[in-house]
Amino acid sequence: MELLYWHWVILGMLLVLLELIIPSFTAMWFGLGAIFVGTLLWLYPDISGSAQVLIWAGVSGVLTAFWFRVFKPKHRSHMATRNEVEGEWGLIVLPASEHKPGIIRFSVPLLGEDEWPYTSQAVFEAGEQARVVDVHDNVLIVEKRNK
């Protein structure tokens, strides 16, 4: 089967839409790479299938590397305070254990970070929502959503 330009454009759109489910921005760069290949194939329809895949991998890799080097927020530059984080809602990604904090992810970066370590008196499972009530040593203290 020969890949046509619109195959790449649709693949790219699907990958960009996948970013709504997986908020890491990685799928978006692969989607933009596919859209780039689709556009290039529309302009120059004689590009071979293997060259298309190599161009897609190269452009996606460059965009992903560019994201992690330039745009991705750097490590926390200051200690979070209660006033900055109190009341924010996040999604538990990795439950906490007795000896290790868990990981909570926010849909909008909190002080420049998507994910933060957390502790809680309550027991959480991955996928549950939690509200930030305090912070101690840059580790968020969260509680369960009241129903």
Side-chain angles (χ1 to χ4, degrees):
M1 181 177 126
E2 182 181 334
L3 290 174
L4 302 174
Y5 77 90
W6 60 270
H7 292 134
W8 284 105
V9 172
I10 289 175
L11 173 66
M13 286 190 235
L14 289 174
L15 287 169
V16 169
L17 289 174
L18 181 66
E19 193 58 47
L20 295 172
I21 300 169
I22 307 170
S24 68
F25 281 104
T26 308
M28 183 170 73
W29 304 125
F30 282 86
L32 290 177
I35 291 171
F36 176 82
V37 173
T39 304
L40 195 63
L41 191 58
W42 179 63
L43 295 171
Y44 305 101
D46 294 332
I47 301 173
S48 70
S50 58
Q52 293 173 34
V53 172
L54 285 174
I55 292 168
W56 175 63
V59 170
S60 299
V62 167
L63 289 173
T64 302
F66 190 68
W67 164 254
F68 282 109
R69 292 220 179 246
V70 176
F71 288 115
K72 184 158 173 65
K74 306 297 183 228
H75 295 289
R76 296 185 242 328
S77 59
H78 71 284
M79 296 292 284
T81 64
R82 181 179 184 168
N83 293 341
E84 295 173 313
V85 297
E86 185 178 27
E88 295 292 331
W89 286 93
L91 194 66
I92 301 299
V93 176
L94 180 67
S97 66
E98 283 183 45
H99 308 289
K100 186 177 175 187
I103 302 292
I104 186 170
R105 178 179 290 154
F106 298 93
S107 58
V108 176
L110 184 62
L111 302 177
E113 290 291 324
D114 293 334
E115 295 182 346
W116 283 76
Y118 82 89
T119 60
S120 178
Q121 296 293 332
V123 176
F124 286 97
E125 292 185 24
E128 286 188 276
Q129 286 188 328
R131 185 173 72 91
V132 179
V133 292
D134 203 356
V135 62
H136 184 264
D137 291 335
N138 247 17
V139 176
L140 303 179
I141 300 169
V142 300
E143 66 181 13
K144 285 192 178 236
R145 167 172 263 187
N146 293 334
K147 293 186 179 183

PDB file of all heavy atoms in Angstrom, residues 35-73:
ATOM      1  N   ILE A  35       2.208  15.565   9.904  1.00  0.00           N
ATOM      2  CA  ILE A  35       1.595  16.622   9.093  1.00  0.00           C
ATOM      3  C   ILE A  35       2.649  17.250   8.180  1.00  0.00           C
ATOM      4  O   ILE A  35       2.375  17.542   7.011  1.00  0.00           O
ATOM      5  CB  ILE A  35       0.908  17.670   9.998  1.00  0.00           C
ATOM      6  CG1 ILE A  35      -0.318  17.042  10.664  1.00  0.00           C
ATOM      7  CG2 ILE A  35       0.513  18.912   9.201  1.00  0.00           C
ATOM      8  CD1 ILE A  35      -0.952  17.901  11.745  1.00  0.00           C
ATOM      9  N   PHE A  36       3.870  17.418   8.679  1.00  0.00           N
ATOM     10  CA  PHE A  36       4.965  17.940   7.849  1.00  0.00           C
ATOM     11  C   PHE A  36       5.236  17.020   6.665  1.00  0.00           C
ATOM     12  O   PHE A  36       5.380  17.469   5.528  1.00  0.00           O
ATOM     13  CB  PHE A  36       6.229  18.117   8.698  1.00  0.00           C
ATOM     14  CG  PHE A  36       7.421  18.564   7.911  1.00  0.00           C
ATOM     15  CD1 PHE A  36       7.589  19.906   7.596  1.00  0.00           C
ATOM     16  CD2 PHE A  36       8.375  17.657   7.470  1.00  0.00           C
ATOM     17  CE1 PHE A  36       8.681  20.325   6.854  1.00  0.00           C
ATOM     18  CE2 PHE A  36       9.465  18.064   6.732  1.00  0.00           C
ATOM     19  CZ  PHE A  36       9.619  19.411   6.422  1.00  0.00           C
ATOM     20  N   VAL A  37       5.291  15.707   6.925  1.00  0.00           N
ATOM     21  CA  VAL A  37       5.521  14.741   5.837  1.00  0.00           C
ATOM     22  C   VAL A  37       4.367  14.779   4.848  1.00  0.00           C
ATOM     23  O   VAL A  37       4.586  14.733   3.631  1.00  0.00           O
ATOM     24  CB  VAL A  37       5.741  13.317   6.390  1.00  0.00           C
ATOM     25  CG1 VAL A  37       5.795  12.296   5.264  1.00  0.00           C
ATOM     26  CG2 VAL A  37       7.025  13.257   7.202  1.00  0.00           C
ATOM     27  N   GLY A  38       3.131  14.880   5.333  1.00  0.00           N
ATOM     28  CA  GLY A  38       1.976  14.980   4.444  1.00  0.00           C
ATOM     29  C   GLY A  38       2.060  16.198   3.547  1.00  0.00           C
ATOM     30  O   GLY A  38       1.789  16.128   2.339  1.00  0.00           O
ATOM     31  N   THR A  39       2.446  17.326   4.120  1.00  0.00           N
ATOM     32  CA  THR A  39       2.595  18.555   3.334  1.00  0.00           C
ATOM     33  C   THR A  39       3.724  18.412   2.316  1.00  0.00           C
ATOM     34  O   THR A  39       3.584  18.804   1.152  1.00  0.00           O
ATOM     35  CB  THR A  39       2.871  19.756   4.273  1.00  0.00           C
ATOM     36  OG1 THR A  39       1.825  19.835   5.232  1.00  0.00           O
ATOM     37  CG2 THR A  39       2.957  21.049   3.489  1.00  0.00           C
ATOM     38  N   LEU A  40       4.840  17.851   2.757  1.00  0.00           N
ATOM     39  CA  LEU A  40       5.976  17.639   1.855  1.00  0.00           C
ATOM     40  C   LEU A  40       5.601  16.693   0.720  1.00  0.00           C
ATOM     41  O   LEU A  40       5.953  16.923  -0.444  1.00  0.00           O
ATOM     42  CB  LEU A  40       7.162  17.075   2.656  1.00  0.00           C
ATOM     43  CG  LEU A  40       8.524  17.098   2.007  1.00  0.00           C
ATOM     44  CD1 LEU A  40       8.965  18.539   1.737  1.00  0.00           C
ATOM     45  CD2 LEU A  40       9.531  16.415   2.921  1.00  0.00           C
ATOM     46  N   LEU A  41       4.855  15.645   1.024  1.00  0.00           N
ATOM     47  CA  LEU A  41       4.422  14.672   0.018  1.00  0.00           C
ATOM     48  C   LEU A  41       3.420  15.293  -0.953  1.00  0.00           C
ATOM     49  O   LEU A  41       3.391  14.953  -2.138  1.00  0.00           O
ATOM     50  CB  LEU A  41       3.822  13.446   0.703  1.00  0.00           C
ATOM     51  CG  LEU A  41       3.561  12.220  -0.156  1.00  0.00           C
ATOM     52  CD1 LEU A  41       4.847  11.745  -0.817  1.00  0.00           C
ATOM     53  CD2 LEU A  41       2.980  11.103   0.696  1.00  0.00           C
ATOM     54  N   TRP A  42       2.612  16.218  -0.469  1.00  0.00           N
ATOM     55  CA  TRP A  42       1.672  16.928  -1.341  1.00  0.00           C
ATOM     56  C   TRP A  42       2.437  17.790  -2.346  1.00  0.00           C
ATOM     57  O   TRP A  42       2.076  17.867  -3.513  1.00  0.00           O
ATOM     58  CB  TRP A  42       0.738  17.754  -0.484  1.00  0.00           C
ATOM     59  CG  TRP A  42      -0.280  18.553  -1.255  1.00  0.00           C
ATOM     60  CD1 TRP A  42      -1.271  18.070  -2.055  1.00  0.00           C
ATOM     61  CD2 TRP A  42      -0.402  19.964  -1.281  1.00  0.00           C
ATOM     62  NE1 TRP A  42      -2.009  19.095  -2.576  1.00  0.00           N
ATOM     63  CE2 TRP A  42      -1.489  20.284  -2.116  1.00  0.00           C
ATOM     64  CE3 TRP A  42       0.298  20.998  -0.664  1.00  0.00           C
ATOM     65  CZ2 TRP A  42      -1.886  21.595  -2.351  1.00  0.00           C
ATOM     66  CZ3 TRP A  42      -0.108  22.284  -0.897  1.00  0.00           C
ATOM     67  CH2 TRP A  42      -1.179  22.572  -1.742  1.00  0.00           C
ATOM     68  N   LEU A  43       3.532  18.418  -1.860  1.00  0.00           N
ATOM     69  CA  LEU A  43       4.342  19.269  -2.740  1.00  0.00           C
ATOM     70  C   LEU A  43       5.232  18.453  -3.679  1.00  0.00           C
ATOM     71  O   LEU A  43       5.458  18.834  -4.823  1.00  0.00           O
ATOM     72  CB  LEU A  43       5.198  20.226  -1.901  1.00  0.00           C
ATOM     73  CG  LEU A  43       4.431  21.258  -1.073  1.00  0.00           C
ATOM     74  CD1 LEU A  43       5.375  21.996  -0.132  1.00  0.00           C
ATOM     75  CD2 LEU A  43       3.704  22.229  -1.987  1.00  0.00           C
ATOM     76  N   TYR A  44       5.784  17.368  -3.174  1.00  0.00           N
ATOM     77  CA  TYR A  44       6.692  16.494  -3.941  1.00  0.00           C
ATOM     78  C   TYR A  44       6.185  15.059  -3.860  1.00  0.00           C
ATOM     79  O   TYR A  44       6.649  14.273  -3.034  1.00  0.00           O
ATOM     80  CB  TYR A  44       8.113  16.571  -3.372  1.00  0.00           C
ATOM     81  CG  TYR A  44       8.658  17.976  -3.304  1.00  0.00           C
ATOM     82  CD1 TYR A  44       8.673  18.675  -2.088  1.00  0.00           C
ATOM     83  CD2 TYR A  44       9.141  18.611  -4.437  1.00  0.00           C
ATOM     84  CE1 TYR A  44       9.169  19.964  -2.017  1.00  0.00           C
ATOM     85  CE2 TYR A  44       9.641  19.901  -4.377  1.00  0.00           C
ATOM     86  CZ  TYR A  44       9.645  20.570  -3.176  1.00  0.00           C
ATOM     87  OH  TYR A  44      10.137  21.853  -3.103  1.00  0.00           O
ATOM     88  N   PRO A  45       5.254  14.665  -4.721  1.00  0.00           N
ATOM     89  CA  PRO A  45       4.588  13.354  -4.601  1.00  0.00           C
ATOM     90  C   PRO A  45       5.477  12.146  -4.932  1.00  0.00           C
ATOM     91  O   PRO A  45       5.048  11.021  -4.735  1.00  0.00           O
ATOM     92  CB  PRO A  45       3.425  13.457  -5.588  1.00  0.00           C
ATOM     93  CG  PRO A  45       3.728  14.594  -6.473  1.00  0.00           C
ATOM     94  CD  PRO A  45       4.667  15.494  -5.765  1.00  0.00           C
ATOM     95  N   ASP A  46       6.703  12.345  -5.374  1.00  0.00           N
ATOM     96  CA  ASP A  46       7.563  11.218  -5.756  1.00  0.00           C
ATOM     97  C   ASP A  46       8.471  10.732  -4.630  1.00  0.00           C
ATOM     98  O   ASP A  46       9.402   9.964  -4.886  1.00  0.00           O
ATOM     99  CB  ASP A  46       8.417  11.611  -6.972  1.00  0.00           C
ATOM    100  CG  ASP A  46       7.564  11.853  -8.214  1.00  0.00           C
ATOM    101  OD1 ASP A  46       6.481  11.241  -8.297  1.00  0.00           O
ATOM    102  OD2 ASP A  46       7.977  12.657  -9.065  1.00  0.00           O
ATOM    103  N   ILE A  47       8.230  11.136  -3.398  1.00  0.00           N
ATOM    104  CA  ILE A  47       9.069  10.692  -2.281  1.00  0.00           C
ATOM    105  C   ILE A  47       8.735   9.239  -1.958  1.00  0.00           C
ATOM    106  O   ILE A  47       7.565   8.869  -1.820  1.00  0.00           O
ATOM    107  CB  ILE A  47       8.840  11.588  -1.042  1.00  0.00           C
ATOM    108  CG1 ILE A  47       9.176  13.045  -1.367  1.00  0.00           C
ATOM    109  CG2 ILE A  47       9.682  11.105   0.132  1.00  0.00           C
ATOM    110  CD1 ILE A  47       8.813  14.016  -0.252  1.00  0.00           C
ATOM    111  N   SER A  48       9.772   8.405  -1.833  1.00  0.00           N
ATOM    112  CA  SER A  48       9.547   6.980  -1.566  1.00  0.00           C
ATOM    113  C   SER A  48       9.001   6.766  -0.153  1.00  0.00           C
ATOM    114  O   SER A  48       9.152   7.618   0.722  1.00  0.00           O
ATOM    115  CB  SER A  48      10.860   6.204  -1.729  1.00  0.00           C
ATOM    116  OG  SER A  48      11.741   6.523  -0.675  1.00  0.00           O
ATOM    117  N   GLY A  49       8.393   5.610   0.063  1.00  0.00           N
ATOM    118  CA  GLY A  49       7.807   5.281   1.362  1.00  0.00           C
ATOM    119  C   GLY A  49       8.826   5.257   2.480  1.00  0.00           C
ATOM    120  O   GLY A  49       8.575   5.747   3.580  1.00  0.00           O
ATOM    121  N   SER A  50      10.003   4.682   2.220  1.00  0.00           N
ATOM    122  CA  SER A  50      11.034   4.626   3.269  1.00  0.00           C
ATOM    123  C   SER A  50      11.559   6.023   3.583  1.00  0.00           C
ATOM    124  O   SER A  50      11.838   6.334   4.745  1.00  0.00           O
ATOM    125  CB  SER A  50      12.172   3.696   2.861  1.00  0.00           C
ATOM    126  OG  SER A  50      12.744   4.118   1.643  1.00  0.00           O
ATOM    127  N   ALA A  51      11.671   6.877   2.555  1.00  0.00           N
ATOM    128  CA  ALA A  51      12.107   8.256   2.803  1.00  0.00           C
ATOM    129  C   ALA A  51      11.058   9.007   3.620  1.00  0.00           C
ATOM    130  O   ALA A  51      11.398   9.818   4.482  1.00  0.00           O
ATOM    131  CB  ALA A  51      12.374   8.973   1.482  1.00  0.00           C
ATOM    132  N   GLN A  52       9.792   8.734   3.360  1.00  0.00           N
ATOM    133  CA  GLN A  52       8.720   9.383   4.131  1.00  0.00           C
ATOM    134  C   GLN A  52       8.841   9.035   5.613  1.00  0.00           C
ATOM    135  O   GLN A  52       8.750   9.914   6.479  1.00  0.00           O
ATOM    136  CB  GLN A  52       7.350   8.940   3.614  1.00  0.00           C
ATOM    137  CG  GLN A  52       7.015   9.411   2.229  1.00  0.00           C
ATOM    138  CD  GLN A  52       5.726   8.791   1.724  1.00  0.00           C
ATOM    139  OE1 GLN A  52       4.796   8.555   2.487  1.00  0.00           O
ATOM    140  NE2 GLN A  52       5.662   8.533   0.420  1.00  0.00           N
ATOM    141  N   VAL A  53       9.051   7.752   5.887  1.00  0.00           N
ATOM    142  CA  VAL A  53       9.158   7.316   7.285  1.00  0.00           C
ATOM    143  C   VAL A  53      10.403   7.912   7.935  1.00  0.00           C
ATOM    144  O   VAL A  53      10.364   8.347   9.093  1.00  0.00           O
ATOM    145  CB  VAL A  53       9.150   5.774   7.373  1.00  0.00           C
ATOM    146  CG1 VAL A  53       9.447   5.307   8.784  1.00  0.00           C
ATOM    147  CG2 VAL A  53       7.814   5.216   6.904  1.00  0.00           C
ATOM    148  N   LEU A  54      11.517   7.961   7.202  1.00  0.00           N
ATOM    149  CA  LEU A  54      12.738   8.550   7.752  1.00  0.00           C
ATOM    150  C   LEU A  54      12.569  10.047   8.020  1.00  0.00           C
ATOM    151  O   LEU A  54      13.029  10.552   9.052  1.00  0.00           O
ATOM    152  CB  LEU A  54      13.913   8.326   6.798  1.00  0.00           C
ATOM    153  CG  LEU A  54      14.478   6.909   6.765  1.00  0.00           C
ATOM    154  CD1 LEU A  54      15.530   6.773   5.671  1.00  0.00           C
ATOM    155  CD2 LEU A  54      15.069   6.556   8.122  1.00  0.00           C
ATOM    156  N   ILE A  55      11.911  10.745   7.112  1.00  0.00           N
ATOM    157  CA  ILE A  55      11.662  12.175   7.318  1.00  0.00           C
ATOM    158  C   ILE A  55      10.765  12.368   8.533  1.00  0.00           C
ATOM    159  O   ILE A  55      11.021  13.231   9.385  1.00  0.00           O
ATOM    160  CB  ILE A  55      11.036  12.812   6.055  1.00  0.00           C
ATOM    161  CG1 ILE A  55      12.044  12.825   4.912  1.00  0.00           C
ATOM    162  CG2 ILE A  55      10.544  14.225   6.350  1.00  0.00           C
ATOM    163  CD1 ILE A  55      11.441  13.162   3.552  1.00  0.00           C
ATOM    164  N   TRP A  56       9.719  11.548   8.643  1.00  0.00           N
ATOM    165  CA  TRP A  56       8.814  11.647   9.788  1.00  0.00           C
ATOM    166  C   TRP A  56       9.561  11.409  11.103  1.00  0.00           C
ATOM    167  O   TRP A  56       9.419  12.172  12.052  1.00  0.00           O
ATOM    168  CB  TRP A  56       7.675  10.645   9.635  1.00  0.00           C
ATOM    169  CG  TRP A  56       6.759  10.580  10.820  1.00  0.00           C
ATOM    170  CD1 TRP A  56       5.976  11.577  11.311  1.00  0.00           C
ATOM    171  CD2 TRP A  56       6.550   9.457  11.661  1.00  0.00           C
ATOM    172  NE1 TRP A  56       5.273  11.144  12.413  1.00  0.00           N
ATOM    173  CE2 TRP A  56       5.609   9.836  12.646  1.00  0.00           C
ATOM    174  CE3 TRP A  56       7.052   8.161  11.681  1.00  0.00           C
ATOM    175  CZ2 TRP A  56       5.180   8.971  13.635  1.00  0.00           C
ATOM    176  CZ3 TRP A  56       6.612   7.300  12.670  1.00  0.00           C
ATOM    177  CH2 TRP A  56       5.694   7.699  13.639  1.00  0.00           C
ATOM    178  N   ALA A  57      10.375  10.354  11.139  1.00  0.00           N
ATOM    179  CA  ALA A  57      11.129  10.050  12.358  1.00  0.00           C
ATOM    180  C   ALA A  57      12.108  11.179  12.677  1.00  0.00           C
ATOM    181  O   ALA A  57      12.247  11.585  13.844  1.00  0.00           O
ATOM    182  CB  ALA A  57      11.875   8.726  12.201  1.00  0.00           C
ATOM    183  N   GLY A  58      12.768  11.699  11.664  1.00  0.00           N
ATOM    184  CA  GLY A  58      13.735  12.775  11.882  1.00  0.00           C
ATOM    185  C   GLY A  58      13.080  14.056  12.376  1.00  0.00           C
ATOM    186  O   GLY A  58      13.532  14.658  13.360  1.00  0.00           O
ATOM    187  N   VAL A  59      12.015  14.481  11.703  1.00  0.00           N
ATOM    188  CA  VAL A  59      11.326  15.715  12.104  1.00  0.00           C
ATOM    189  C   VAL A  59      10.720  15.541  13.493  1.00  0.00           C
ATOM    190  O   VAL A  59      10.834  16.442  14.341  1.00  0.00           O
ATOM    191  CB  VAL A  59      10.249  16.107  11.064  1.00  0.00           C
ATOM    192  CG1 VAL A  59       9.365  17.222  11.583  1.00  0.00           C
ATOM    193  CG2 VAL A  59      10.898  16.511   9.755  1.00  0.00           C
ATOM    194  N   SER A  60      10.115  14.395  13.756  1.00  0.00           N
ATOM    195  CA  SER A  60       9.524  14.150  15.078  1.00  0.00           C
ATOM    196  C   SER A  60      10.592  14.155  16.160  1.00  0.00           C
ATOM    197  O   SER A  60      10.389  14.726  17.241  1.00  0.00           O
ATOM    198  CB  SER A  60       8.787  12.814  15.085  1.00  0.00           C
ATOM    199  OG  SER A  60       7.749  12.822  14.144  1.00  0.00           O
ATOM    200  N   GLY A  61      11.719  13.528  15.869  1.00  0.00           N
ATOM    201  CA  GLY A  61      12.816  13.503  16.838  1.00  0.00           C
ATOM    202  C   GLY A  61      13.374  14.886  17.122  1.00  0.00           C
ATOM    203  O   GLY A  61      13.633  15.247  18.273  1.00  0.00           O
ATOM    204  N   VAL A  62      13.537  15.678  16.076  1.00  0.00           N
ATOM    205  CA  VAL A  62      14.046  17.042  16.251  1.00  0.00           C
ATOM    206  C   VAL A  62      13.056  17.888  17.051  1.00  0.00           C
ATOM    207  O   VAL A  62      13.446  18.613  17.972  1.00  0.00           O
ATOM    208  CB  VAL A  62      14.351  17.697  14.880  1.00  0.00           C
ATOM    209  CG1 VAL A  62      14.571  19.192  15.017  1.00  0.00           C
ATOM    210  CG2 VAL A  62      15.565  17.041  14.232  1.00  0.00           C
ATOM    211  N   LEU A  63      11.772  17.804  16.722  1.00  0.00           N
ATOM    212  CA  LEU A  63      10.764  18.568  17.463  1.00  0.00           C
ATOM    213  C   LEU A  63      10.696  18.146  18.929  1.00  0.00           C
ATOM    214  O   LEU A  63      10.588  18.988  19.821  1.00  0.00           O
ATOM    215  CB  LEU A  63       9.388  18.414  16.808  1.00  0.00           C
ATOM    216  CG  LEU A  63       9.194  19.120  15.468  1.00  0.00           C
ATOM    217  CD1 LEU A  63       7.851  18.734  14.857  1.00  0.00           C
ATOM    218  CD2 LEU A  63       9.299  20.614  15.626  1.00  0.00           C
ATOM    219  N   THR A  64      10.767  16.834  19.185  1.00  0.00           N
ATOM    220  CA  THR A  64      10.730  16.338  20.560  1.00  0.00           C
ATOM    221  C   THR A  64      11.960  16.801  21.332  1.00  0.00           C
ATOM    222  O   THR A  64      11.854  17.263  22.472  1.00  0.00           O
ATOM    223  CB  THR A  64      10.622  14.804  20.577  1.00  0.00           C
ATOM    224  OG1 THR A  64       9.444  14.418  19.859  1.00  0.00           O
ATOM    225  CG2 THR A  64      10.539  14.267  21.999  1.00  0.00           C
ATOM    226  N   ALA A  65      13.130  16.683  20.719  1.00  0.00           N
ATOM    227  CA  ALA A  65      14.364  17.133  21.374  1.00  0.00           C
ATOM    228  C   ALA A  65      14.311  18.631  21.644  1.00  0.00           C
ATOM    229  O   ALA A  65      14.713  19.101  22.719  1.00  0.00           O
ATOM    230  CB  ALA A  65      15.572  16.786  20.514  1.00  0.00           C
ATOM    231  N   PHE A  66      13.801  19.391  20.666  1.00  0.00           N
ATOM    232  CA  PHE A  66      13.673  20.831  20.829  1.00  0.00           C
ATOM    233  C   PHE A  66      12.758  21.160  22.003  1.00  0.00           C
ATOM    234  O   PHE A  66      13.039  22.061  22.794  1.00  0.00           O
ATOM    235  CB  PHE A  66      13.148  21.449  19.530  1.00  0.00           C
ATOM    236  CG  PHE A  66      13.200  22.941  19.487  1.00  0.00           C
ATOM    237  CD1 PHE A  66      14.416  23.603  19.434  1.00  0.00           C
ATOM    238  CD2 PHE A  66      12.034  23.691  19.492  1.00  0.00           C
ATOM    239  CE1 PHE A  66      14.477  24.976  19.394  1.00  0.00           C
ATOM    240  CE2 PHE A  66      12.077  25.068  19.452  1.00  0.00           C
ATOM    241  CZ  PHE A  66      13.304  25.719  19.403  1.00  0.00           C
ATOM    242  N   TRP A  67      11.668  20.407  22.135  1.00  0.00           N
ATOM    243  CA  TRP A  67      10.740  20.615  23.249  1.00  0.00           C
ATOM    244  C   TRP A  67      11.438  20.394  24.588  1.00  0.00           C
ATOM    245  O   TRP A  67      11.348  21.207  25.493  1.00  0.00           O
ATOM    246  CB  TRP A  67       9.543  19.683  23.125  1.00  0.00           C
ATOM    247  CG  TRP A  67       8.751  19.545  24.393  1.00  0.00           C
ATOM    248  CD1 TRP A  67       8.714  18.482  25.238  1.00  0.00           C
ATOM    249  CD2 TRP A  67       7.893  20.532  24.980  1.00  0.00           C
ATOM    250  NE1 TRP A  67       7.882  18.730  26.295  1.00  0.00           N
ATOM    251  CE2 TRP A  67       7.370  19.989  26.163  1.00  0.00           C
ATOM    252  CE3 TRP A  67       7.520  21.820  24.616  1.00  0.00           C
ATOM    253  CZ2 TRP A  67       6.498  20.682  26.985  1.00  0.00           C
ATOM    254  CZ3 TRP A  67       6.644  22.500  25.441  1.00  0.00           C
ATOM    255  CH2 TRP A  67       6.148  21.934  26.607  1.00  0.00           C
ATOM    256  N   PHE A  68      12.143  19.279  24.725  1.00  0.00           N
ATOM    257  CA  PHE A  68      12.764  18.967  26.001  1.00  0.00           C
ATOM    258  C   PHE A  68      13.937  19.886  26.318  1.00  0.00           C
ATOM    259  O   PHE A  68      14.241  20.129  27.472  1.00  0.00           O
ATOM    260  CB  PHE A  68      13.198  17.497  26.050  1.00  0.00           C
ATOM    261  CG  PHE A  68      12.046  16.571  26.314  1.00  0.00           C
ATOM    262  CD1 PHE A  68      11.575  15.742  25.324  1.00  0.00           C
ATOM    263  CD2 PHE A  68      11.426  16.545  27.548  1.00  0.00           C
ATOM    264  CE1 PHE A  68      10.505  14.882  25.561  1.00  0.00           C
ATOM    265  CE2 PHE A  68      10.353  15.701  27.795  1.00  0.00           C
ATOM    266  CZ  PHE A  68       9.895  14.863  26.800  1.00  0.00           C
ATOM    267  N   ARG A  69      14.610  20.399  25.319  1.00  0.00           N
ATOM    268  CA  ARG A  69      15.759  21.277  25.555  1.00  0.00           C
ATOM    269  C   ARG A  69      15.375  22.736  25.752  1.00  0.00           C
ATOM    270  O   ARG A  69      15.998  23.440  26.523  1.00  0.00           O
ATOM    271  CB  ARG A  69      16.741  21.180  24.407  1.00  0.00           C
ATOM    272  CG  ARG A  69      17.422  19.858  24.337  1.00  0.00           C
ATOM    273  CD  ARG A  69      18.853  20.068  23.980  1.00  0.00           C
ATOM    274  NE  ARG A  69      19.523  18.790  23.928  1.00  0.00           N
ATOM    275  CZ  ARG A  69      20.457  18.456  24.776  1.00  0.00           C
ATOM    276  NH1 ARG A  69      20.827  19.289  25.704  1.00  0.00           N
ATOM    277  NH2 ARG A  69      21.036  17.287  24.671  1.00  0.00           N
ATOM    278  N   VAL A  70      14.386  23.214  25.027  1.00  0.00           N
ATOM    279  CA  VAL A  70      14.100  24.644  25.020  1.00  0.00           C
ATOM    280  C   VAL A  70      12.826  24.992  25.777  1.00  0.00           C
ATOM    281  O   VAL A  70      12.827  25.874  26.628  1.00  0.00           O
ATOM    282  CB  VAL A  70      14.009  25.170  23.565  1.00  0.00           C
ATOM    283  CG1 VAL A  70      13.623  26.630  23.539  1.00  0.00           C
ATOM    284  CG2 VAL A  70      15.322  24.937  22.841  1.00  0.00           C
ATOM    285  N   PHE A  71      11.726  24.329  25.454  1.00  0.00           N
ATOM    286  CA  PHE A  71      10.437  24.768  25.977  1.00  0.00           C
ATOM    287  C   PHE A  71      10.013  24.123  27.274  1.00  0.00           C
ATOM    288  O   PHE A  71       9.274  24.723  28.040  1.00  0.00           O
ATOM    289  CB  PHE A  71       9.336  24.527  24.937  1.00  0.00           C
ATOM    290  CG  PHE A  71       9.426  25.475  23.783  1.00  0.00           C
ATOM    291  CD1 PHE A  71       9.708  25.005  22.521  1.00  0.00           C
ATOM    292  CD2 PHE A  71       9.247  26.828  23.960  1.00  0.00           C
ATOM    293  CE1 PHE A  71       9.800  25.862  21.454  1.00  0.00           C
ATOM    294  CE2 PHE A  71       9.340  27.697  22.908  1.00  0.00           C
ATOM    295  CZ  PHE A  71       9.622  27.219  21.650  1.00  0.00           C
ATOM    296  N   LYS A  72      10.394  22.883  27.527  1.00  0.00           N
ATOM    297  CA  LYS A  72       9.932  22.212  28.741  1.00  0.00           C
ATOM    298  C   LYS A  72      10.409  22.977  29.962  1.00  0.00           C
ATOM    299  O   LYS A  72      11.565  23.340  30.052  1.00  0.00           O
ATOM    300  CB  LYS A  72      10.440  20.773  28.795  1.00  0.00           C
ATOM    301  CG  LYS A  72       9.897  20.029  30.000  1.00  0.00           C
ATOM    302  CD  LYS A  72       9.944  18.561  29.789  1.00  0.00           C
ATOM    303  CE  LYS A  72       9.565  17.787  31.019  1.00  0.00           C
ATOM    304  NZ  LYS A  72       8.232  17.942  31.451  1.00  0.00           N
ATOM    305  N   PRO A  73       9.508  23.223  30.897  1.00  0.00           N
ATOM    306  CA  PRO A  73       9.901  23.971  32.088  1.00  0.00           C
ATOM    307  C   PRO A  73      11.054  23.293  32.817  1.00  0.00           C
ATOM    308  O   PRO A  73      11.137  22.072  32.890  1.00  0.00           O
ATOM    309  CB  PRO A  73       8.638  23.959  32.954  1.00  0.00           C
ATOM    310  CG  PRO A  73       7.527  23.686  32.010  1.00  0.00           C
ATOM    311  CD  PRO A  73       8.109  22.857  30.904  1.00  0.00           C
TER     312      PRO A  73
END
